[in-house]
């Protein structure tokens, strides 16, 4: 077993082993509790009381012939146990009320992001990932609401170790195949080092090319070379001139020993179903032979949000008894993307970023929840096609920062493939969190970074996400519908072509319409051959340079600066592209005289707010509106007014 598991297993005094009864349908065949301890040092959370942290591992055993498992690529080639099943063992962490009767009855599965548990950074405003291990409950929102939270390892290419959850899945020993990876180093050190996803089968066939952006010809200039320094590690000797720090290096090689990565989807399905419904003593959530949770929400950020979109598309929201696994799904900052996981030699960590290849497996049709026909391939599909056929569709709240509309093709969720307006299904809501970067931790402040042209946007989305989780909980438990979707749309005139989306002439805000394209390639040839593309649109901005549509949190509703979801790369770092995951912020002039001297068309602070008291009053009024619209909770409204009073709401200092 992995070192982390071995260490925990030695805690014999406080660990125990339980085995569930395997039936024709039960896929969790062992659930081993390694440790059960008070969480957060015994801290109590209002009427819910204290929590317990359970560390465990779950072994699933899949029948490859079951159609619900057969969708997993290479499961038919994987080693089998004596019963003819394919096994995998996942890391599991559960955070539950010490008294289950005081919880809210909902299992909240926070899908790990690259093995890290980060959902509490959003909902609890915890300062770091894996905050439970550090005893940091932040504002305790999830706990005060009574959620039972679970994390289930799904990424089979990750080692299980403290702070990193994974799954031990079968390896296809001796199998080889072509692999392509891309690297942008953002530095000029030579040679550059990199880690490959898969072991190199034949170092003599390792090759590298370079190009300034994905749509430029691949080049092999004098001085460019690559060599293997280990099974998965390489050094790239870069040419002495002609390419800056933002150049794109493509490495091709023959990989070996692929893992059956798609079993991570089945582990999430089966362990979530087990925790939700199993009544045996094996289940730490069962009390006196009854489940202590009655509803389930699946949540994921970025990579794990894309995981949930694939989870839904591949049909994994149906368990092995035909029941719905998650009543609600909340993919966050996934854009119009999925992921390259359920493929041989997949790249789960891969997220092609501008200026990388937009036609990777991560960015393939279908993009949206409705069923459409792809004019380039003739396929008819949608993320909810399979669940519609067996009545296991969850209710979906899809949330994106504004960055996803510039860099992750989020417009493809609300347009057809010809670029026309597309209504979302009635059981789907979508919200753009206007003027925000892909992800920012709580309490960040504006900073400048050498690689980016503009100051970095610090806005955190915790307040908006708490309101939307509250809406999801009401939706799945009482049927009360969430607020209407708040996203740019073609029909509203707020989703437009990039050329003129943002006003020109704002000092310090250079706009060139840079955004990620959408392409489709023939992946059966190597390197892939581009077949065509789809229209991509971006949010239309107001006179201040901020997007009109979406959910405007209070820093934008009552602004002291322009906040964007895009930030160009700086000169020397691929200046014709966006820097990944970031937005920008450009403060307003303090006075009318200052703005006129700078030829800034945006009204100054003194022109917007007669006094600090007037500014705070405007924040209070905007907060009241958001609360009435159920897009802000009263406790967050009160906190925002306090921050405005302290001149900290804008996070500019």
């Amino acid at each position: 077993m992995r070192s982390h598991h071995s260490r925990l297993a030695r805690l014999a005094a406080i660990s125990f082993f339980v085995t569930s009864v395997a039936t024709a349908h039960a896929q969790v065949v062992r659930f081993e509790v390694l440790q059960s301890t008070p969480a957060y040092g015994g801290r109590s959370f209002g009427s819910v009381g204290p929590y317990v942290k359970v560390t465990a591992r779950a072994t699933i055993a899949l029948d490859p012939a079951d159609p619900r498992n057969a969708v997993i690529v290479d499961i038919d080639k994987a080693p089998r146990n004596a019963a003819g099943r394919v096994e995998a063992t996942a890391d599991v962490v559960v955070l539950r009320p010490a008294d289950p009767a005081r919880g809210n009855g909902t299992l909240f599965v926070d899908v790990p992001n690259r093995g890290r548990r980060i959902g509490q950074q959003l909902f609890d405003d915890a300062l770091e990932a894996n905050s439970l291990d550090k005893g940091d409950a932040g504002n305790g929102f999830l706990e005060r609401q009574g959620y039972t939270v679970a994390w289930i390892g799904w990424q089979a290419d990750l080692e299980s170790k403290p702070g990193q959850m994974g799954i031990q899945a079968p390896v296809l020993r001796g199998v080889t195949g072509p692999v392509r990876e891309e690297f942008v180093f953002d530095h000029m050190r030579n040679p550059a080092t990199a880690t490959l996803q898969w072991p190199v089968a034949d170092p003599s066939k390792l090759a590298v090319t370079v190009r300034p952006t994905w749509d430029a010809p691949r080049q092999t200039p004098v001085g460019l070379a690559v060599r293997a320094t280990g099974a998965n590690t390489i050094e790239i000797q870069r040419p002495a001139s002609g390419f800056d720090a933002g150049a794109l290096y493509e490495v091709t090689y023959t990989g070996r020993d692929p893992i059956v990565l798609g079993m991570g989807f089945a582990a999430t399905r089966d362990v979530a179903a087990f925790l939700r419904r199993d009544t045996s003593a094996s289940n730490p959530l069962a009390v006196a032979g009854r489940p202590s949770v009655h509803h389930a929400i699946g949540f994921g950020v970025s990579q794990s949000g894309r995981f949930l979109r694939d989870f839904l598309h591949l049909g994994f929201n149906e368990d092995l008894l035909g029941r719905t696994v998650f009543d609600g799904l909340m993919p966050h900052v996934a854009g119009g993307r999925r992921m390259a996981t359920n493929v041989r030699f997949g790249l789960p960590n891969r997220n092609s970023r501008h200026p990388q290849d937009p036609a990777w497996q991560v960015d393939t049709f279908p993009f949206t929840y409705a069923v459409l026909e792809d004019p380039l391939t003739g396929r008819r599909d949608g993320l909810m096609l399979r669940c519609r056929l067996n009545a296991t569709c969850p209710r979906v709240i899809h949330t994106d920062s504004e960055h996803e509309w510039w860099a992750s093709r989020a417009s493809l969720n609300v347009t057809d493939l010809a670029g026309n307006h597309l209504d979302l299904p009635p059981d789907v809501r979508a919200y753009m969190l206007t003027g925000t970067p892909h992800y920012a931790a709580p309490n960040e402040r504006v900073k400048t970074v050498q690689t980016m042209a503009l100051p970095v946007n610090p806005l955190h989305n915790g307040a908006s996400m708490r309101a939307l989780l509250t809406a999801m909980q009401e939706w799945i438990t009482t049927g009360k519908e969430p607020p209407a979707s708040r996203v740019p749309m073609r029909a509203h005139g707020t989703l437009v072509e990039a050329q003129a989306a943002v006003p020109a002439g704002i000092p310090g805000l250079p706009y060139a319409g840079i955004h990620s394209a959408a392409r489709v390639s023939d992946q059966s040839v190597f390197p892939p051959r581009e077949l065509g593309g789809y229209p991509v649109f971006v949010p239309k901005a107001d006179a201040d340079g901020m997007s009109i549509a979406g959910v405007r949190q209070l820093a934008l509703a009552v602004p002291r600066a322009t906040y964007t979801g895009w930030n160009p790369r700086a000169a020397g770092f691929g200046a014709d592209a966006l820097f990944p995951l970031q937005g920008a912020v450009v403060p307003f002039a303090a006075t009318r005289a200052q703005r006129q001297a700078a030829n800034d068309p945006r009204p100054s602070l003194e022109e917007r707010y007669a006094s600090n008291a007037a500014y705070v009053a405007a924040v209070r009024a905007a907060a009241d509106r958001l609360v009435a619209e159920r897009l802000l909770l009263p406790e967050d409204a009160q906190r925002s007014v306090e921050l405005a009073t302290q001149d900290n709401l804008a996070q500019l200092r």
Side-chain angles (χ1 to χ4, degrees):
M1 278 295 169
R2 300 166 180 174
S3 59
H4 180 40
H5 288 159
S6 299
R7 181 178 64 83
L8 289 173
R10 288 196 296 268
L11 300 172
I14 52 177
S15 66
F16 58 96
F17 177 84
V18 290
T19 303
S20 65
V21 179
T23 69
H25 298 288
Q27 297 301 292
V28 175
V29 294
R30 285 189 301 279
F31 194 90
E32 184 180 4
V33 174
L34 304 171
Q35 191 176 37
S36 182
T37 59
Y40 307 121
R43 173 181 169 184
S44 186
F45 296 90
S47 63
V48 181
Y51 268 74
V52 173
K53 175 188 176 184
V54 178
T55 304
R57 57 189 173 199
T59 298
I60 62 171
L62 305 182
D63 177 3
D66 189 312
R68 288 163 287 209
N69 298 326
V71 69
I72 298 171
V73 170
D74 285 335
I75 193 172
D76 57 327
K77 300 174 180 62
R80 306 188 186 193
N81 63 17
R85 302 296 194 259
V86 180
E87 292 192 4
T89 300
D91 301 327
V92 181
V93 174
V94 176
L95 177 66
R96 65 169 181 82
D99 179 357
R102 297 167 74 175
N104 69 1
T106 294
L107 174 66
F108 182 83
V109 176
D110 177 15
V111 179
N113 176 296
R114 292 170 174 81
R116 303 166 302 154
R117 306 191 300 276
I118 66 175
Q120 287 172 299
Q121 278 193 294
L122 272 177
F123 296 104
D124 285 353
D125 284 354
L127 295 180
E128 300 179 58
N130 302 318
S131 59
L132 175 59
D133 297 344
K134 302 172 176 67
D136 177 16
N139 61 28
F141 175 79
L142 290 172
E143 294 81 358
R144 287 185 284 114
Q145 298 300 310
Y147 286 100
T148 296
V149 187
W151 297 268
I152 303 163
W154 63 270
Q155 195 171 340
D157 58 321
L158 293 180
E159 176 188 2
S160 290
K161 60 183 182 181
Q164 182 172 283
M165 300 179 67
I167 182 173
Q168 191 173 13
V171 178
L172 305 184
R173 301 291 181 189
V175 173
T176 62
V179 185
R180 178 173 69 104
E181 300 193 44
E182 293 178 337
F183 301 95
V184 177
F185 293 106
D186 283 329
H187 65 72
M188 294 300 292
R189 295 187 295 274
N190 218 5
T193 61
T195 300
L196 300 175
Q197 177 76 30
W198 299 101
V200 177
D202 184 353
S204 69
K205 294 183 179 178
L206 193 63
V208 62
T209 63
V210 62
R211 46 190 163 153
T213 61
W214 70 271
D215 53 353
R218 294 173 173 85
Q219 301 179 45
T220 54
V222 173
L224 178 65
V226 61
R227 73 180 186 92
T229 57
N232 292 72
T233 56
I234 59 171
E235 280 186 353
I236 297 175
Q237 187 70 33
R238 294 188 280 181
S241 62
F243 298 92
D244 70 11
L248 178 60
Y249 292 84
E250 181 181 76
V251 176
T252 56
Y253 62 100
T254 300
R256 61 175 172 83
D257 302 338
I259 304 172
V260 185
L261 297 173
M263 289 191 72
F265 293 109
T268 301
R269 174 194 67 192
D270 295 339
V271 176
F274 170 84
L275 291 171
R276 177 178 181 177
R277 292 192 168 99
D278 188 85
T279 58
S280 73
S282 304
N283 184 2
L285 301 186
V287 179
R290 295 182 179 182
S292 61
V293 292
H294 311 289
H295 298 91
I297 296 170
F299 171 77
V301 178
S302 190
Q303 181 212 38
S304 46
R306 294 185 287 115
F307 173 93
L308 285 179
R309 283 165 59 87
D310 256 5
F311 179 92
L312 180 61
H313 173 243
L314 293 170
F316 284 102
N317 206 44
E318 178 192 13
D319 75 8
L320 274 297
L321 288 175
R323 302 169 300 189
T324 300
V325 178
F326 294 114
D327 305 295
L329 283 186
M330 296 185 69
H332 180 57
V333 293
R337 293 176 159 175
R338 294 186 291 113
M339 65 189 329
T341 294
N342 193 39
V343 293
R344 182 177 291 183
F345 292 109
L347 303 173
N349 279 333
R350 164 81 186 186
N351 179 21
S352 60
R353 299 167 178 171
H354 204 255
Q356 296 173 317
D357 183 357
W360 209 272
Q361 296 104 316
V362 71
D363 296 309
T364 55
F365 174 83
F367 303 99
T368 191
Y369 297 91
V371 176
L372 301 174
E373 183 171 312
D374 180 8
L376 295 177
T377 64
R379 289 177 55 206
R380 184 170 177 79
D381 205 349
L383 298 184
M384 300 181 91
L385 174 62
R386 287 168 177 80
C387 70
R388 295 285 185 224
L389 297 176
N390 54 33
T392 59
C393 283
R395 288 163 171 163
V396 176
I397 288 182
H398 177 115
T399 49
D400 282 316
S401 77
E402 188 185 322
H403 180 79
E404 275 61 59
W405 293 77
W406 296 91
S408 297
R409 311 158 185 89
S411 68
L412 291 170
N413 281 311
V414 292
T415 67
D416 65 20
L417 298 176
N420 302 309
H421 171 86
L422 182 70
D423 286 324
L424 292 165
D427 47 1
V428 177
R429 296 290 188 277
Y431 306 91
M432 180 181 80
L433 307 180
T434 305
T436 60
H438 178 76
Y439 193 81
N443 300 324
E444 288 196 9
R445 289 295 182 267
V446 172
K447 61 185 176 183
T448 57
V449 179
Q450 181 186 19
T451 52
M452 288 176 250
L454 300 173
V456 181
N457 187 328
L459 293 185
H460 174 63
N461 281 318
S464 298
M465 294 304 297
R466 287 188 283 274
L468 292 172
L469 175 58
T470 301
M472 173 62 88
Q473 174 72 357
E474 291 179 330
W475 203 8
I476 65 173
T477 58
T478 71
K480 183 178 181 179
E481 295 198 355
S485 294
R486 295 286 188 93
V487 292
M489 288 191 171
R490 295 288 284 160
H492 300 167
T494 53
L495 187 61
V496 298
E497 294 185 356
Q499 287 79 357
V502 178
I506 297 177
L509 194 69
Y511 179 71
I514 303 170
H515 66 289
S516 290
R519 299 286 187 267
V520 61
S521 291
D522 179 0
Q523 298 284 333
S524 68
V525 297
F526 201 74
R529 178 174 61 88
E530 186 176 320
L531 301 176
Y534 311 102
V536 172
F537 302 94
V538 300
K540 182 176 177 59
D542 63 14
D544 286 332
M546 292 190 287
S547 296
I548 297 168
V551 178
R552 283 197 170 194
Q553 59 176 281
L554 293 172
L556 278 83
V558 189
R560 302 181 75 86
T562 293
Y563 297 88
T564 77
W566 51 273
N567 196 331
R569 286 176 166 270
F573 294 90
D576 293 330
L578 296 179
F579 197 86
L581 310 182
Q582 302 299 329
V585 57
V586 181
F588 300 147
T591 67
R592 179 178 181 181
Q594 288 173 346
R595 102 170 157 81
Q596 289 177 335
N599 292 318
D600 191 339
R602 303 171 301 162
S604 65
L605 292 177
E606 74 173 9
E607 293 172 291
R608 293 170 187 266
Y609 315 112
S611 64
N612 287 336
Y615 165 70
V616 173
V619 170
R620 183 178 289 108
D624 289 344
R625 287 194 296 272
L626 286 174
V627 169
E629 294 167 350
R630 299 168 58 218
L631 295 170
L632 187 69
L633 299 180
E635 66 179 75
D636 284 315
Q638 180 179 348
R639 177 59 177 156
S640 295
V641 172
E642 292 171 358
L643 289 171
T645 302
Q646 301 160 8
D647 197 20
N648 285 326
L649 180 64
Q651 297 179 235
L652 297 177
R653 58 180 178 83

